[in-house]
């Protein structure tokens, strides 16, 4: 059987999202608005399959055909008759549920491939003898032949998402530092053709910056001519392709360029038939918009997805920011760049949710205190935005979250120029927090026995506080120093002083540069680290805890559990580090490891990690946090670190930022912690993230019904089998055609193709 890193266990936790009460309170018009937005989100989420791995669309199509012909119970009878054991069939259901849940065969949290935990020959018998295969023998056999090998393959390059090949001749011995971390990006990605390297990604980013084009909705394809000369296609996601269209800001960019001696061609039409379905549903949603902000927002999203225009998406996001306190909240587009190995391209996601008024009232009180709390952050006022743009901050019960995974909270939009001048919104996803982060005592690893009950009691409340601070005052704080295209600065060059050097500001962002484009591969994790650090730092403020209803001993327990949760998470993070490639696979977990390193460095016994032997005789470890030293030792250490993070971010000092962040993120076996050895212990005792079953909405006449499913792998599969009742087979055809059209770019996944046409 496969290494446990690469399988989902049969006893994986599965929870159902509960939004029944939130949905019940919606008016008929609000339900129709939510229904069409949900349809748009689910359609768009299918693009994630094409953004993940070459085989993911085929695997999705194969599974969907199987379970449309026979539901999980019916297929079980056939599987057992074919000689599978109950455990093997359950392993297949868990695998299928994992593919649906992650929108692909790589974990959305950690970017690790997962494979079916049963023999390939047995799964082949089930598939080729299934009802689906009897109904459509050539199609099902063709899908299996296309993706069967890749579904099970764990050859080194396919184990993780990433870019380029491993070129370092040897792995440095344990305990020694790592040189040339950039070389270690071993893995597969479909944001770039299989022959692209980090150097190609950097060149393409410089090209995009030179043309003032965003990378968010693009993919990069490289081909090589007979003389070995590369040429590049930058492809925008849009409904429209090469056909003539009304002039838009995109049309003039669709042409050939010469950039630093390499030809570039900007085209569009990526995911076109999928985005066509998104646009159709957004058009229908417009009829049920609650106000003009929502109507204009949807019109701009439609323009964005039709033309391939990020500028239109920004305009839509402006209207979205202005739509304060809606009953039905939503956002959709190419949003988060965590899974692009270069850190610039956005994965498609769309969510629809309903406001939870009681919890939102606490967040509104936090927003009201935000301007005062910003002054508590450890950097000079000149490093803070000129004006605090009061954002919306609501707690939402999610009805639909389409994409590769569901977060606990969101601070969007991600466009720097909008965030600095127009503002943003924060959302905490209450019904996700309620199920995704619940912990059973017996599964609670690496804590002292006398910490466990306190941790279970206060983890939920402390996480509410941390998410609130992280989103609002973490991601919502700090200024970027910018020189615009006319040469004007947004700061006073004469008077603003760098508190780290005592000198005037020496570096800044030029026109066209963004945080993501400039800090690229570390941008996401660095920013998550800054936001997490702000949460830890400000949770020490009595006013914050009063807002959430905690005083006295309870407030002290919330602080302790919040800090304890962070240092434990820093240890758990080692699961998401790949020693062979010297790289981190998950932005938030890398951030938590960095914070752990900072707090360990503070010394004085604030944090200790002790290797132990568990009651089962296997290696274990214990994390201790001295609560009496959080304010005296922890706070000053975090203060110094946070100031450095912000100053380097504000000034666009990439070299300084990389040196600081990659220094703390380096994983070695140097004593006293011996992190590489600890990583083995973490892997031995890791618990898989829960799978989340989401409901469907169905239109019956003019009424919208909520369809709920049981919390099991079979329930999750049924939810997807019923998600596209009108056009499931058509969507599978679309996905496989789109994948096949570009398949040549990843031929021979074990080696980079030489640009064959």
């Amino acid at each position: 059987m496969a290494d446990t890193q690469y399988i989902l266990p049969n006893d994986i936790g599965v929870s159902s999202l509960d939004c029944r009460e939130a949905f019940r309170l919606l008016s008929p018009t609000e339900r129709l608005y939510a229904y069409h937005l949900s349809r748009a989100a689910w359609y768009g989420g299918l693009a994630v399959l094409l953004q993940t791995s070459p085989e993911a669309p085929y695997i999705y199509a194969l599974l969907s055909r199987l379970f449309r012909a026979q539901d999980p119970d019916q297929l079980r009878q056939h599987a057992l008759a074919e000689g599978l054991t109950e455990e093997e069939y359950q392993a297949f259901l868990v695998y299928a549920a994992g593919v649906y849940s992650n929108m692909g065969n790589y974990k959305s949290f950690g970017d690790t491939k997962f494979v079916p935990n049963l023999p390939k020959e047995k799964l082949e018998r089930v598939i080729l003898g299934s009802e689906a295969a009897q109904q459509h023998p050539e199609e099902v056999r063709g899908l299996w032949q296309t993706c069967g090998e890749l579904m099970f393959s764990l050859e080194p390059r396919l184990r993780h998402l990433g870019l380029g090949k491993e070129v370092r001749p040897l792995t440095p011995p344990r305990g020694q530092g790592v040189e040339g971390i950039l070389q270690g990006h071993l893995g597969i990605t479909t944001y770039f053709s299989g022959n692209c390297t980090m150097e190609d990604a950097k060149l393409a980013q410089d090209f995009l910056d030179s043309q003032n084009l965003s990378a968010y909705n693009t993919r990069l394809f490289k081909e090589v001519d007979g003389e070995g000369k590369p040429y590049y296609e930058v492809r925008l996601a849009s409904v429209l392709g090469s056909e003539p269209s009304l002039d838009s800001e995109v049309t003039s960019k669709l042409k050939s360029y010469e950039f630093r001696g390499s030809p570039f061609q900007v085209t569009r039409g990526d995911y076109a038939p999928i985005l066509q379905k998104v646009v159709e549903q957004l058009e229908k949603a417009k009829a049920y918009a609650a106000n003009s902000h929502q109507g204009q927002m949807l019109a701009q999203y439609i323009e964005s997805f039709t033309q391939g225009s990020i500028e239109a998406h920004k305009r839509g996001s402006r209207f979205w920011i202005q739509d304060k306190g809606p009953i039905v909240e939503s956002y959709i587009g190419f949003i988060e760049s965590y899974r692009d190995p270069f850190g610039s391209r956005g994965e498609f996601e769309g969510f629809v949710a309903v406001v939870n008024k009681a919890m939102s009232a606490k967040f509104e009180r936090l927003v009201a205190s935000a301007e005062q709390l910003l002054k508590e952050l450890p950097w000079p006022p000149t490093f803070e935005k000129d004006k605090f743009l009061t954002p919306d901050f609501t707690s939402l019960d999610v009805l639909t979250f389409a994409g590769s995974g569901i977060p606990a909270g969101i601070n969007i939009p991600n466009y720097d120029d909008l965030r600095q001048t127009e503002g943003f919104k924060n959302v905490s996803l209450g019904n996700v927090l309620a199920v995704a982060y619940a912990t059973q005592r017996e599964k609670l690893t690496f804590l002292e026995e006398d910490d466990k009950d306190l941790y279970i009691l206060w983890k939920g409340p402390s996480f509410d506080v941390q998410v609130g601070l992280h989103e609002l005052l973490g991601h919502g704080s700090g200024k970027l120093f910018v020189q615009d295209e006319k040469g004007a600065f947004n700061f006073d060059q004469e008077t603003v002083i760098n508190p780290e050097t005592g000198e005037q500001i020496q570096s800044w962002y030029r026109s066209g540069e963004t945080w993501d484009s400039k800090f690229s591969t570390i941008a996401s994790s660095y920013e998550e680290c800054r936001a997490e650090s702000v949460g830890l730092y400000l949770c020490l403020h009595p006013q914050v805890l009063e807002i959430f209803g905690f005083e006295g001993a309870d407030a002290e327990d919330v602080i302790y559990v919040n800090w304890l949760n962070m240092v434990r998470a820093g240890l758990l993070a080692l699961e998401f580090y790949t020693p062979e490639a010297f790289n981190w696979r998950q932005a938030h977990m890398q951030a938590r490891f960095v914070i752990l390193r900072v707090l360990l460095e503070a010394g004085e016994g604030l944090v200790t990690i002790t290797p132990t032997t568990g009651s089962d005789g296997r290696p274990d470890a214990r994390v201790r946090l001295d609560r009496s030293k959080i304010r005296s030792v922890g706070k000053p250490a975090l203060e110094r670190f946070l100031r450095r993070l912000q100053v380097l971010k504000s000034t666009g000092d990439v070299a300084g930022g990389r040196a600081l962040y990659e220094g703390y993120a380096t994983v070695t076996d140097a004593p006293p912690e011996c992190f590489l050895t600890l990583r083995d212990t973490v892997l031995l005792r890791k618990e898989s993230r829960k799978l989340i079953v989401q409901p469907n909405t169905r239109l019956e006449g003019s009424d919208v019904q909520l369809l709920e499913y049981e919390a099991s792998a079979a329930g999750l599969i049924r939810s997807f089998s019923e998600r596209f009742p009108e056009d499931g087979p058509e969507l599978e055809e679309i996905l496989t055609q789109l994948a096949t059209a570009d398949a040549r770019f990843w031929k021979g996944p074990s080696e980079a193709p030489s640009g064959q046409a």
Side-chain angles (χ1 to χ4, degrees):
M1 289 290 99
D3 183 327
T4 56
Q5 283 186 75
Y6 306 108
I7 58 169
L8 303 179
N10 278 12
D11 64 351
I12 193 168
V14 186
S15 296
S16 289
L17 266 194
D18 180 10
C19 58
R20 189 181 310 167
E21 182 61 14
F23 183 79
R24 187 184 68 78
L25 295 172
L26 294 180
S27 71
T29 302
E30 288 161 353
R31 288 185 183 190
L32 285 161
Y33 183 63
Y35 168 76
H36 289 295
L37 289 177
S38 291
R39 304 304 305 147
W42 286 124
Y43 280 129
L46 296 173
V48 176
L49 293 159
L50 295 154
Q51 293 181 301
T52 300
S53 70
E55 67 275 12
Y58 301 103
I59 296 173
Y60 172 91
L62 180 61
L63 294 174
S64 298
R65 285 180 182 272
L66 275 183
F67 291 113
R68 189 166 44 250
Q70 291 167 286
D71 80 10
D73 289 342
Q74 294 167 331
L75 192 62
R76 176 176 168 273
Q77 301 306 320
H78 162 62
L80 297 180
E82 288 286 356
L84 269 70
T85 64
E86 288 281 6
E87 290 73 26
E88 287 168 339
Y89 183 62
Q90 178 62 19
F92 173 55
L93 290 187
V94 165
Y95 175 77
V99 170
Y100 286 134
S101 192
N102 292 280
M103 267 293 104
N105 56 330
Y106 287 75
K107 295 175 190 174
S108 65
F109 200 87
D111 295 344
T112 305
K113 187 173 187 177
F114 56 95
V115 301
N117 189 23
L118 70 158
K120 179 169 173 271
E121 306 70 41
K122 286 192 170 185
L123 182 55
E124 181 172 25
R125 286 209 301 274
V126 172
I127 288 169
L128 298 184
S130 67
E131 190 67 35
Q134 289 171 31
Q135 292 171 5
H136 304 283
E138 286 182 23
E139 289 170 30
V140 171
R141 184 173 289 278
L143 286 169
W144 174 251
Q145 285 173 346
T146 304
C147 68
E149 286 293 331
L150 285 167
M151 188 188 287
F152 281 84
S153 175
L154 283 174
E155 65 173 275
R157 190 182 174 188
L158 304 183
R159 291 174 189 169
H160 307 288
L161 297 180
L163 179 59
K165 300 176 77 175
E166 174 62 276
V167 299
R168 190 181 287 100
L170 334 147
T171 302
R174 287 186 167 220
Q176 292 189 10
V178 174
E179 296 300 323
I181 284 172
L182 204 62
Q183 296 300 316
H185 285 271
L186 180 74
I188 188 80
T189 176
T190 47
Y191 284 113
F192 298 87
S193 56
N195 55 353
C196 281
T197 63
M198 274 290 170
E199 288 70 29
D200 295 316
K202 179 72 176 80
L203 179 68
Q205 186 63 57
D206 291 346
F207 164 72
L208 289 166
D209 289 346
S210 76
Q211 298 303 317
N212 224 4
L213 270 171
S214 169
Y216 269 119
N217 64 342
T218 69
R219 292 198 288 168
L220 183 70
F221 299 90
K222 176 171 103 173
E223 302 213 49
V224 181
D225 66 19
E227 295 169 12
K229 186 178 180 184
Y231 59 100
Y232 300 91
E233 177 195 358
V234 172
R235 191 188 301 167
L236 312 182
S238 66
V239 175
L240 293 175
S242 56
E243 65 273 19
S245 66
L246 291 171
D247 217 25
S248 77
E249 57 239 326
V250 176
T251 319
S252 63
K253 308 272 190 186
L254 301 173
K255 59 184 182 185
S256 298
Y257 302 79
E258 186 82 15
F259 182 75
R260 293 185 191 161
S262 292
F264 276 81
Q265 177 88 25
V266 177
T267 66
R268 67 178 173 186
D270 217 359
Y271 327 119
I274 292 172
L275 292 175
Q276 177 64 46
K277 288 185 177 285
V278 174
V279 164
E280 287 166 5
Q281 292 299 323
L282 294 178
E283 284 284 6
K284 290 176 178 175
K286 273 167 65 179
Y288 306 105
N291 54 50
S292 63
H293 287 315
Q294 288 181 1
Q296 290 171 292
M297 168 190 86
L298 292 174
Q300 291 298 329
Y301 291 165
I302 289 165
E303 169 79 0
S304 172
F305 299 143
T306 302
Q307 299 284 349
S309 167
I310 290 295
E311 289 304 315
H313 198 269
K314 285 185 182 178
R315 291 193 292 271
S317 298
R318 280 195 182 93
F319 290 120
W320 179 71
I321 293 165
Q322 292 162 19
D323 183 29
K324 303 278 189 188
I327 301 296
V328 177
E329 185 60 283
S330 68
Y331 198 59
I332 190 168
F334 296 90
I335 312 300
E336 301 293 354
S337 57
Y338 300 124
R339 296 181 96 193
D340 168 14
F342 190 73
S344 296
R345 287 152 192 78
E347 184 173 78
F348 195 97
E349 71 179 40
F351 76 83
V352 184
V354 182
V355 172
N356 177 322
K357 290 181 178 170
M359 191 64 189
S360 295
K362 293 180 183 176
F363 289 135
E364 282 163 21
R365 290 199 292 278
L366 188 64
V367 170
S369 308
E371 235 167 327
Q372 204 53 43
L373 290 169
L374 281 171
K375 295 173 184 171
E376 302 291 328
L377 291 171
W379 49 79
T382 48
F383 282 70
E384 199 44 74
K385 296 185 187 79
D386 302 335
K387 182 176 185 297
F388 180 68
L389 302 156
T390 307
D392 235 11
F393 198 162
T394 47
S395 177
L396 304 177
D397 285 338
V398 171
L399 177 65
T400 295
F401 205 111
S404 67
I406 314 179
I410 320 172
N411 174 290
I412 36 181
N414 285 332
Y415 306 118
D416 291 331
D417 46 351
L418 290 195
R419 295 168 64 78
Q420 296 281 318
T421 59
E422 311 268 341
F424 51 88
K425 281 187 184 181
N426 300 275
V427 297
S428 173
L429 304 179
N431 60 340
V432 177
L433 284 168
V435 297
Y437 297 92
T439 310
Q440 296 171 281
R441 196 181 196 282
E442 61 272 17
K443 291 190 173 181
L444 199 48
T445 52
F446 307 127
L447 292 182
E448 296 287 4
E449 284 302 314
D450 54 3
D451 276 334
K452 287 184 177 180
D453 291 332
L454 199 67
Y455 183 91
I456 287 167
L457 181 63
W458 292 110
K459 187 190 175 192
S462 73
F463 204 54
D464 283 338
V465 173
Q466 179 68 11
V467 168
L469 294 170
H470 172 116
E471 301 296 349
L472 174 66
L473 295 160
H475 291 316
S477 64
K479 178 174 181 170
L480 301 185
F481 296 147
V482 179
Q483 181 182 24
D484 67 21
E485 65 278 2
K486 295 173 183 168
F489 291 89
N490 70 342
F491 65 99
D492 187 331
Q493 287 180 281
E494 298 299 318
T495 60
V496 177
I497 299 297
N498 182 327
E500 293 292 304
T501 64
E503 299 171 355
Q504 291 177 334
I505 303 304
Q506 304 292 319
S507 57
W508 49 83
Y509 296 79
R510 262 75 180 181
S511 174
E513 290 182 331
T514 66
W515 164 249
D516 277 341
S517 72
K518 207 165 168 62
F519 281 72
S520 66
T521 53
I522 65 164
S524 290
S525 186
Y526 186 116
E527 176 57 15
E528 293 305 330
C529 187
R530 197 181 67 88
E532 291 283 48
S533 299
V534 166
L536 286 187
Y537 187 76
L538 287 180
C539 82
L540 297 168
H541 201 288
Q543 185 184 352
V544 168
L545 296 163
E546 283 169 22
I547 287 168
F548 283 89
F550 306 119
E551 294 178 337
D554 285 355
E556 289 303 309
D557 284 345
V558 167
I559 290 168
Y560 175 62
V561 170
N562 195 31
W563 279 61
L564 181 63
N565 188 44
M566 188 63 69
V567 295
R568 175 177 180 259
L571 177 60
L572 295 177
L574 289 166
E575 177 192 340
F576 301 93
Y577 177 74
T578 307
E580 300 81 11
F582 311 102
N583 78 316
W584 285 90
R585 308 186 311 276
Q586 215 293 320
H588 299 79
M589 298 311 279
Q590 180 181 2
R592 290 159 189 162
F593 177 77
V594 166
I595 292 170
L596 171 63
R597 289 282 313 276
V598 170
L599 297 179
L600 282 165
E601 186 182 79
E604 298 186 47
L606 172 68
V607 176
T608 53
I609 303 173
T610 311
T612 63
T613 301
S615 56
D616 57 3
R618 300 189 301 172
D620 206 340
R622 289 289 172 270
V623 175
R624 293 183 185 85
L625 170 69
D626 186 338
R627 64 190 295 166
S628 71
K629 294 178 179 172
I630 290 175
R631 285 184 173 83
S632 60
V633 180
K635 186 182 180 186
L638 210 52
E639 185 170 307
R640 290 188 295 273
F641 178 61
L642 247 181
R643 184 184 301 114
R644 292 175 74 192
L645 284 178
Q646 183 57 51
V647 167
L648 293 164
K649 179 180 179 182
S650 288
T651 57
D653 182 351
V654 180
R658 278 198 180 277
L660 173 71
Y661 199 68
E662 291 180 343
Y664 279 115
T666 300
V667 181
T668 74
D669 227 17
E673 287 82 26
C674 306
F675 283 120
L676 286 172
T677 300
L678 277 172
R679 178 179 177 272
D680 295 337
T681 305
V682 169
L683 288 175
L684 188 68
R685 300 191 176 276
K686 75 183 180 76
E687 184 186 357
S688 295
R689 282 172 75 84
K690 287 181 182 173
L691 303 178
I692 305 292
V693 183
Q694 298 188 54
N696 284 320
T697 50
R698 179 174 293 168
L699 192 59
E700 296 182 359
S702 59
D703 291 338
V704 180
Q705 304 296 323
L706 186 72
L707 306 179
E708 296 175 289
Y709 302 87
E710 68 175 21
S712 67
L716 201 156
I717 290 165
R718 286 189 182 97
S719 74
F720 266 88
S721 294
E722 296 180 13
R723 194 141 281 156
F724 304 107
E726 311 88 11
D727 50 7
E730 179 198 349
L731 291 168
E732 291 142 31
E733 188 72 20
I734 285 169
L735 285 164
T736 55
Q737 284 177 356
L738 290 173
T740 302
D742 289 324
R744 72 183 194 279
F745 290 113
W746 295 279
K747 280 290 181 237
S750 60
E751 77 272 354
S754 56
Q756 61 268 42

